[in-house]
Every structure is written in structure tokens, then in C-alpha cells.
Amino acid sequence: MTPIYNQLLIPFLTAMLVAITMGGSGTAPAFSASYGANVLRKSLIPGLFGIMVFVGAFVAGKKTAGTMGSGILPAEYMSFTVVSVALFSIAVTMLVSNISGIPQSTSQAAVLALAAPALYFGKLDTHSLFYEIIPAWFVLPIVSYFLSYFCGKYIYQPMRRRGLTIQRAQNENKRHIWDVVLIIMALYVSFAIGSNNVANAAGPLYTMTINELHIRESDHIVILMLATLIVAPCFGIGASLFGHKILRNTGKEIILFGKFEAVIIAFISGSLLLLASVFKGIPTSLVQVNVAAILGIGVAKMGHKNIFRKTQVRRFFGMWMIAPIISFVLSLLLIFIADKANMLH
């Protein structure tokens, strides 16, 4: 194996590690609703999740991959060392979150891991970061919360008062239909994750490979497909290794919800992420959008005082604030060390 291919091995292996840690965190927004409603066995989740993430990345992930590949840090700076540092920082951040059992935004960790070298080189695209990506991180969860809240308050609650909820009104056959609908929604959310979160690892990998191997433009799509093919299946591995604890925290411990509410949560979460991916290519947090939808339904059913007293909710917000900072600081520190060791040239 030639030296350049030896160098490629490190970022590719690191990208696979990132995808494994992202898979653990991403399982929660995809399957916490169906798991919390006791529709799907946990042993089936990693395989279903991995397949749909893979499909979503191939069908709808190109635009977000472009953002992660050149929209934060210019493409010409995507070298072996820089990409390895960014991916390693993401992996460490996500590993800490997975061990703590708290679903974390892979996109926020990834964006800030790339923003650190961009800032260090004086090449940070502040317009893209501060006027598009970061505002979406705040706006989408708020939209998710209120959509879910209004669905809970003005659709679910009136149906419940009239005795039309699924639990009361439907026979056994119709309950099975709703089980199928809920599983479809989980697959839909997994597809949306593939359209957005796979790019966090595949985008930098794709751009680095083109730069370092001097790939001609006509072959760029092949390299993107290769990067996706390597990264996407690792999400399923991560779901198997880390997914159960996170599923329990989000699906069982925030709020006990039924199938009707679970469908609302999954549909709102997946649709918002898919819209961000397809129309703007914005890497955003499905985890936060999903938890916001769960909280919206919870407040509609229980009131805000009861739902926000939950211990897990407080832990979630704490980790969401800390983890992206860890990713940024670690990436910046490693880039500084690499520069002093003359590894950036």
C-alpha cells in the first residue's frame, strides 16, 4: 500500500468510529416513539435503522454533504490531518454523550469541530454559520415543540374527551394498523437521519479524498457514494452498541405516550429534518427536534410544570450545552498541536 493510501486509512477509520457513535445517538429520535409505545422489540431496531439511514443518505443526502464538505471550512483546507482531527473530536464528543445515555446532536458537534480549524485558519464562513446553520438549530426545535403542542391540545385532547382515542375506540385489527403506521414513521425518521447526519462524517471525507488524490470532477459523485457506503452502515452498528440506554431515556423516562402521540412525534421530527436537508442542506439536530416534539405532547397532556420537573429533561439540556463546546475546544486544541508539529503542510 502506497504512503498516500496509508494516510487515507486514518481518516476513513475515524469516520467509521464517528458513524458508530452517531448511530447510538440517532437511534433515539428514530425509534424512541415506537419503543416507548411498546410497538417494536429493541432487537429489531439496529438493523431497520441502519438500512433506512443508508437509503436516506443515498437518496437525499447530497446537499448536506456539500455543506459539511466545503460550506464551513473551505474545501482546499480539507487535508488528512484536518479531517482526522475534526472527526476524532466529533467521535470523542459523541462517545461521552452515548456513555451518559443522553442523545446528543451529531450535527452541532460536527459543525463546531469543523468551525474550529476554520477559525484557526481565518477562513470561517460566518454568514453560513451565524445566519443559516445556528439559527436553524434554535428555530426548528421551537417549531417542533409548538406543532406537537397544538396537535396534542387541539387534536389529541378533543379526541380523548370524546372517547375516540386509539386505546378506547379501536378493535384489535385497527390497533395492528396503528402499529404498522408507527413503524413506518420510525423508518421515515431514520431516512431523514440518513439525509442529514451521514453527511457529518461523509462530507469531510469526500472532500478530503478529492483533494488528496486529485480526483477529476467527473468522478466526484463516485467518491461521495464511496464515502456514504463506508459511513452509513456504521450507524446500525452504533445503534446496536449504544442505542438501548438512550432509547430507554427518551422513550420510557421522559413521558409515557401512546401510539397516536408517537405518530405525531415521529412525523413532525422527520419532516422538519428532511426539509432542512433537501431544501437548504443545513446540518441540524434531529435529537433536539425530536425531544421538543415529545415535550410539546407532554405539556399538552400533563402541563409544563409536571413535564419540566423530569430529571432527564434537565440532564438533556445540560449535555446539549456542554457537548458542542467540547467538540470545538478539542478540535481547536488538536489543530494547534498539529500546526506546531508541522503536520498541516
Side-chain angles (χ1 to χ4, degrees):
M1 188 178 288
T2 61
I4 193 166
Y5 287 105
N6 284 332
Q7 287 180 293
L8 274 175
L9 189 62
I10 295 174
F12 269 80
L13 289 175
T14 309
M16 293 171 69
L17 177 62
V18 169
I20 290 171
T21 59
M22 286 195 294
S25 188
T27 310
F31 285 92
S32 61
S34 55
Y35 179 70
N38 298 310
V39 170
L40 200 60
R41 294 198 312 271
K42 66 179 181 181
S43 60
L44 297 175
I45 290 174
L48 293 173
F49 178 68
I51 291 169
M52 292 308 298
V53 165
F54 181 77
V55 174
F58 263 102
V59 173
K62 184 178 179 181
K63 207 159 191 176
T64 312
T67 300
M68 294 303 296
S70 59
I72 300 166
L73 176 66
E76 59 268 23
Y77 286 86
M78 292 284 192
S79 64
F80 291 126
T81 303
V82 171
V83 170
S84 297
V85 162
L87 292 175
F88 178 76
S89 301
I90 301 166
V92 170
T93 304
M94 298 309 303
L95 186 60
V96 170
S97 300
N98 287 335
I99 291 172
S100 70
I102 296 176
Q104 174 58 39
S105 168
T106 57
S107 295
Q108 290 177 4
V111 166
L112 290 182
L114 288 171
L119 182 65
Y120 186 81
F121 297 135
K123 297 294 181 179
L124 181 63
D125 186 347
T126 55
H127 183 273
S128 174
L129 187 63
F130 293 113
Y131 291 94
E132 294 181 7
I133 296 174
I134 291 180
W137 293 350
F138 290 94
V139 170
L140 289 178
I142 292 172
V143 171
S144 177
Y145 173 86
F146 282 106
L147 285 175
S148 182
Y149 174 78
F150 287 128
C151 286
K153 188 173 180 65
Y154 297 108
I155 298 177
Y156 172 77
Q157 293 289 26
M159 289 177 65
R160 185 179 182 185
R161 285 193 294 269
R162 295 172 186 170
L164 298 176
T165 55
I166 293 160
Q167 292 87 344
R168 295 183 184 181
Q170 295 185 335
N171 60 34
E172 192 64 30
N173 289 332
K174 290 185 178 180
R175 286 198 184 101
H176 289 319
I177 291 173
W178 275 95
D179 290 348
V180 172
V181 171
L182 192 53
I183 292 171
I184 290 172
M185 284 296 102
L187 298 177
Y188 173 63
V189 174
S190 300
F191 179 90
I193 288 174
S195 75
N196 196 280
N197 290 357
V198 170
N200 294 331
L205 207 62
Y206 151 73
T207 305
M208 177 207 68
T209 304
I210 289 172
N211 286 345
E212 299 291 359
L213 298 184
H214 306 292
I215 305 293
R216 59 186 180 182
E217 188 172 349
S218 60
D219 292 331
H220 283 193
I221 188 64
V222 176
I223 301 301
L224 179 58
M225 291 173 65
L226 175 64
T228 303
L229 187 63
I230 290 171
V231 170
C234 295
F235 274 69
I237 298 173
S240 180
L241 292 176
F242 301 111
H244 176 61
K245 186 175 182 181
I246 297 174
L247 277 171
R248 187 179 67 245
N249 284 346
T250 54
K252 299 290 189 182
E253 295 184 18
I254 290 183
I255 181 176
L256 294 175
F257 44 81
K259 297 171 187 177
F260 184 82
E261 306 100 294
V263 168
I264 293 173
I265 291 165
F267 181 74
I268 290 174
S269 302
S271 297
L272 289 174
L273 185 70
L274 198 56
L275 288 171
S277 304
V278 173
F279 288 103
K280 296 295 290 184
I282 294 176
T284 193
S285 172
L286 179 61
V287 166
Q288 294 173 8
V289 169
N290 179 259
V291 172
I294 292 173
L295 291 176
I297 285 285
V299 170
K301 290 178 67 176
M302 300 168 58
H304 69 278
K305 290 183 179 179
N306 289 325
I307 193 65
F308 285 104
R309 283 191 190 124
K310 295 283 185 180
T311 303
Q312 291 299 336
V313 174
R314 293 197 299 270
R315 288 182 62 212
F316 284 6
F317 286 125
M319 180 59 75
W320 289 345
M321 293 176 63
I322 294 170
I325 296 173
I326 293 173
S327 181
F328 178 84
V329 171
L330 180 59
S331 181
L332 190 62
L333 176 62
L334 292 176
I335 284 292
F336 174 78
I337 293 171
D339 191 20
K340 295 303 178 184
N342 294 318
M343 296 173 62
L344 297 181
H345 305 291

